[in-house]
DNA sequence: CACTAAACGAGACGGTACGTCCCGTCTTGAA
DNA sequence: TTCAAGACGGGACGTACCGTCTCGTTTAGTG
């Protein structure tokens, strides 16, 4: 039915913009459609599920885009340390700049649940699996298995992504200390 | 002007029940007021901000109640290990049983931060400060400062509260291993 | 549920006015409500059946008003002849002036059907029964029963109400001739 | 531009069938086109005026067909009485059988006049002119002019077509009495 | 016979209106 | 006075059509 992926895309991005401007609850489908240069009727042709389906699509889209770019950000890294540093730095930057996902999720958390549920895997698992190969190449303290270390690092990454605490993650030097001393300190040989 | 704290309380709990049953978006003020045995007009006397204020109050109320009970759960603990074990066990139990908190926390723990950012003090900080005295009494690996360790533990607690991963937190034995070997392993002497 | 008959009345008359101006198909509930100084939501509170119920009410209302005034117009008449003359004259005037009923019925005849169906009696029967007492006091040609004569006159009245043909019913003299010579000629002694 | 009169015809008849089944307001152009085995785009090629033009065409078509057949039904009649009897009998049968005309005529006969006023010549006039030759061959009561009698009979025919009242027009005997005693009684010699 | 022009099916699209639901405000009447 | 009861305006939602438009595809009809 969806002839033009362009319009679908335009709707998602326009909706994203509206949410960023007014918040999800203050964003009507009329607004979103108008911002996409499309009639409300057409919106329903691309998202028959209406508001729910549209918002889910926005979240999924932004979620994918975030991790896609995160992946790009750590593309060049060769060692565990640089992967962690570049990843944390990018994630922090992205999250601070784009608060939209937060906004959506804090207001309508149910959306995220279904989005992730259908993805089947949690974000933490995803990150853990991405880090695993690096850990297998790394010298670990004795008794520390790579899989456990990956899970531990994934949890810490997510935690610091959300709230940096006393660290300023926009300062590469501090990121470097955080990663090498704090995060890897407990597991690296 | 709020004459009866009882009615305010009844409204919050009735709303909580509705949210638990139908989700926030499917819960109307009519439903909530009726469930509280109160007219919609009265609801507006206690929560002039309407829907937003009511829902915020519900979340804040449940949030407070959760930590209040969490505190009770670790009341008798004397050592860092038992505090952590009892706390994690209780939190896991509470989250599994109470769907609403589950709804919020099951997503990603960092979401909670943004939701309660307006409280001025983050949950993580709260937990960290609670753990600090225990850490000051604990033998720590050299070079590990109690404050840093508290922050580290708080992050891990929040992470495991939201998603236990490969651990079954309803099994005290597993909780024991998780706490003593995994979480405290990196900081304890 | 309908607290204020005034608003119900206002809605009916506003709708009537809209229909008169733009025709039924070009009259939206938004128009009608606005013309009545009422919100569309309130319209549905008085006419839960929506458009159908509202339009039926308009037709029924105008129908009743028409016959109410017709009755008034023949109030003073004592003889069959004057009843017929005054009634025909009024009906002709009313129909020519208010074409709205015609407009509705020609576009959405189904409306009228249900309106009359629920009234249980046809207009013709109504008129016949009204004329009957006058006929019983009138000298009739032999073999003509009052009831049959009443039915005959009712049919002719309705026919001339809709289309006067070669008669000018706004001219009392012509009405007089039509009634006395033409209509009563066949039945009066 | 209308290439195929067949398709135009098919559209009208399919629309007629839909109206008969669901009523005009419940009949969409999609329905009508599908029933005619034609796309909605093609419908607009034959009826650029859309819904209005199509529905008008249906009514006009059925109107014409009705009188065409009525004419056939009285073809063989030689006398005024048989013309009236056969005509009334056919009209009654047709109206009872065909729901759509029933829908229109069952209300009040004069409505038809206004509906077809745009035809320039009213149905009543049509019938009157058809009856005139028969009346000119008939012995009339003194003082009764054939043209007046034709108009009178036309009015009565239309009236009885719409509502038979106490007569059962499917019984030839009753039709006979109605025509000869009642309708012609007042004008025949 | 190939080529063009038309009629046609299919369906996307903007737009209007419908009937429904809920919110936030306000009034009324009874305890 | 306080509260329930509920009317009301307003706004958004999801649905259903309408009328317009643009594509391919078939079908004639013609050079």
């Amino acid at each position: 039915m969806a002839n033009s992926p362009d319009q679908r895309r335009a709707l998602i991005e326009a909706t994203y913009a509206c949410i960023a401007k007014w918040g999800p609850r203050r964003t009507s489908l009329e607004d979103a459609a108008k911002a996409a240069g499309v009639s409300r009727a057409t919106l329903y042709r691309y998202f028959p599920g209406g508001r729910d389906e549209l918002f889910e699509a926005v979240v999924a889209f932004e979620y994918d885009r975030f991790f896609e770019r995160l992946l790009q950000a750590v593309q060049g890294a060769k060692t565990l340390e640089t992967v962690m540093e570049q990843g944390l730095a990018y994630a922090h930057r992205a999250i601070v700049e784009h608060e939209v996902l937060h906004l959506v999720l804090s207001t309508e958390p149910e959306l995220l649940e279904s989005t992730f549920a259908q993805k089947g895997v949690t974000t933490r698992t995803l990150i853990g699996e991405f880090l695993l190969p690096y850990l297998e190449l790394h010298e670990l303290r004795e008794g520390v298995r790579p899989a456990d270390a990956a899970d531990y690092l994934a949890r810490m990454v997510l935690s610091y992504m959300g709230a940096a605490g006393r660290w300023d993650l926009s300062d590469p030097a501090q990121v470097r200390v955080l990663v090498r001393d704090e995060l890897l300190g407990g597991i690296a040989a």
Side-chain angles (χ1 to χ4, degrees), chain A residues 50-170:
Chain A
R51 186 186 182 86
D52 288 350
E53 187 176 343
L54 173 62
F55 277 53
E56 261 178 46
V58 169
V59 172
F61 181 81
E62 291 302 319
Y63 179 87
D64 287 348
R65 204 177 60 167
F66 173 77
F67 280 102
E68 195 177 306
R69 294 187 178 175
L70 178 56
L71 211 62
Q72 277 184 318
V74 299
Q75 202 74 0
K78 287 300 174 194
T79 69
L80 178 59
E81 287 86 351
T82 48
V83 161
M84 293 282 294
E85 286 173 26
Q86 291 174 14
L88 263 182
Y90 170 77
H92 176 260
R93 209 164 49 241
I95 287 174
V96 165
E97 284 167 4
H98 307 325
E99 305 189 0
V100 176
L101 275 177
H102 275 223
L103 202 58
V104 180
L105 302 177
S106 67
T107 313
E108 309 189 14
E110 28 176 290
L111 278 180
L112 195 61
E113 250 207 347
S114 65
T115 300
F116 284 157
Q118 81 189 21
K119 295 215 159 218
V121 321
T122 71
T123 306
R124 178 176 46 79
T125 306
L126 208 76
I127 297 178
E129 286 171 354
F130 178 78
L131 292 176
L132 191 51
Y134 292 90
L135 281 159
E136 283 165 346
L137 297 179
H138 207 88
E139 299 246 343
L140 297 183
R141 183 173 301 192
E142 60 170 308
V144 174
R145 286 174 308 175
D148 296 354
D151 184 68
Y152 157 74
L153 283 181
R155 288 179 189 274
M156 293 310 268
V157 163
L158 278 172
S159 182
Y160 279 98
M161 268 170 56
R166 68 187 189 280
W167 303 88
D168 175 7
L169 298 186
S170 57

